[in-house]
Amino acid sequence: MRDPDDLIARAGVRGDPDHDQHFLVDDRVLDRLPTYLESEAQRASRDASGSDPLDEIDAETSHVLEIGGGTGALTDRLLAVADEVTVVERDRVLAAFLREEFREEIDAGRLTVIEGDALEVELPDFSASVSNLPYGVSSEITFRLLPEKRPLVLMFQQEFAERMVAEPGTSEYGRLSVSTQHYAEPELVETIPKEAFSPPPAVQSAVVRLEPRDPDYAVDDEDFFLRFVKAMFTQRRKTIRNAIRNTTHITNLGAPDAVVEAADDELLQKRADAMTPSEFAELATLALAVGEPEGD
Ligand SMILES: C[S@@+](CC[C@H](N)C(=O)[O-])C[C@H]1O[C@@H](n2cnc3c(N)ncnc32)[C@H](O)[C@@H]1O
């Protein structure tokens, strides 16, 4: 495997925190990241057999997408486990370096470097993604990837990761938890100290594994459901009864009182942070049916 410090030296760059550039320099962390594509049970059985993680990975690695390639330390590990890798990098100098450093892999058709903004470029049909995300746009990128319903292993600021995996009734639980868990089952698999990066970011990081799944509830209109959840959490300290009445500028409900009249009283007395995703779905479905949403 290429040495991460050598890659930075060869690229002749210093990560610029203002452009979300924090390069991973801890080999052990880099080696572990692709293995999180496996489930917990698969990882445990491999650990028990003592096999080399990068040799034995048992996951869908036909085409792995990496957002934010940097100097290529993670790209190198992904090439070791995947048939094909596509890396997106916005920085012109870094994209040129990746094309030079990985010329052989590119010529062999195993690596594609896309220079551009991950929020704008056309993404390939990938089988999984493993990425150390640019934190400034991590939410937007994640919600671009989640609807594709592929396994994702993504690095975030720790506090963000904790909100993604949070359960109802906790202070971290919010709109981010419900919308993440609508698409996938998230698992916080490892926290990463600042020293694993060069330059170190301001806060600790964490790796989240996101296994795509269909939710255990049905929604007729996904956009309305997500907008309804957003609306309820803008009124976190209010009861759902008041939140429904106070947020018509977000939900576009023409008849919020009709929703309140038709809804189960027990739900109406709750606050958003005590509502399970399926309870939100139940209310959103009712709101669509009787709340006269405008423009839907
Ligand atoms: C946290 S670094 C990770 C670099 C490398 N993968 C590693 O682990 O060492 C994030 C990378 O994303 C790039 N980047 C920042 N914003 C981006 C965007 N909107 N689209 C694509 N790449 C972006 C940065 O230039 C940087 O190289």
Side-chain angles (χ1 to χ4, degrees):
M1 286 298 113
R2 288 162 166 94
D3 178 80
D5 293 307
D6 289 351
L7 282 167
I8 294 173
R10 278 207 288 286
V13 294
R14 217 187 276 219
D16 177 355
D18 289 342
H19 290 98
D20 288 328
Q21 291 174 354
H22 301 280
F23 304 129
L24 265 169
V25 288
D26 185 321
D27 282 301
R28 286 159 309 174
V29 173
L30 281 160
D31 287 350
R32 278 197 296 272
L33 282 179
T35 70
Y36 290 127
L37 283 174
E38 294 182 323
S39 67
E40 202 173 353
Q42 286 170 317
R43 293 197 305 273
S45 96
R46 183 172 31 70
D47 288 349
S49 74
S51 61
D52 183 332
L54 290 184
D55 282 350
E56 293 291 323
I57 185 162
D58 181 12
E60 184 34 87
T61 53
S62 56
H63 189 166
V64 177
L65 172 68
E66 182 190 4
I67 304 293
T71 54
L74 180 58
T75 318
D76 194 35
R77 268 71 181 176
L78 298 178
L79 282 162
V81 300
D83 300 333
E84 196 185 336
V85 175
T86 292
V87 57
V88 182
E89 174 55 60
R90 188 179 61 176
D91 186 294
R92 193 175 46 81
V93 172
L94 291 172
F97 173 71
L98 289 170
R99 286 194 288 263
E100 181 62 33
E101 176 71 27
F102 293 94
R103 184 183 297 267
E104 257 179 48
E105 291 85 345
I106 292 170
D107 288 347
R110 296 196 51 231
L111 176 66
T112 304
V113 178
I114 300 178
E115 181 181 332
D117 186 333
L119 295 176
E120 288 170 8
V121 298
E122 193 178 325
L123 297 177
D125 185 11
F126 60 98
S127 62
S129 177
V130 181
S131 305
N132 172 16
L133 291 178
Y135 292 158
V137 283
S138 55
S139 177
E140 291 88 335
I141 293 175
T142 303
F143 284 98
R144 201 177 169 196
L145 300 181
L146 276 170
E148 301 299 324
K149 299 265 180 179
R150 298 281 189 258
L152 309 173
V153 172
L154 304 175
M155 177 94 75
F156 298 99
Q157 291 187 334
Q158 184 173 352
E159 185 255 324
F160 189 90
E162 282 170 353
R163 288 196 283 130
M164 289 178 97
V165 305
E167 304 276 345
T170 63
S171 59
E172 290 84 15
Y173 183 70
R175 176 189 170 200
L176 178 64
S177 329
V178 180
S179 27
T180 302
Q181 294 165 33
H182 179 66
Y183 295 104
E185 184 173 350
E187 180 193 358
L188 196 160
V189 287
E190 183 172 352
T191 55
I192 312 279
K194 302 173 198 176
E195 300 73 41
F197 302 86
S198 170
V203 293
Q204 279 225 134
S205 299
V207 182
V208 177
R209 171 182 199 275
L210 294 143
E211 180 70 29
R213 61 130 188 248
D214 290 326
D216 60 0
Y217 51 82
V219 286
D220 294 339
D221 180 335
E222 194 162 83
D223 285 347
F224 181 79
F225 168 70
L226 295 173
R227 205 163 71 231
F228 184 78
V229 170
K230 172 183 170 183
M232 297 303 102
F233 277 108
T234 65
Q235 305 266 308
R236 235 189 133 93
R237 286 175 217 293
K238 302 256 164 53
T239 60
I240 291 293
R241 180 192 311 275
N242 287 335
I244 291 172
R245 289 183 169 136
N246 293 346
T247 55
T248 51
H249 58 295
I250 304 173
T251 56
N252 291 338
L253 288 178
D257 287 336
V259 184
V260 168
E261 264 160 45
D264 180 345
D265 208 47
E266 221 174 283
L267 285 188
L268 292 171
Q269 282 173 30
K270 288 192 171 194
R271 292 186 189 350
D273 58 9
M275 295 270 292
T276 64
S278 70
E279 288 171 335
F280 279 117
E282 186 185 324
L283 268 187
T285 303
L286 184 70
L288 265 184
V290 304
E292 296 173 22
E294 286 155 21
D296 277 295

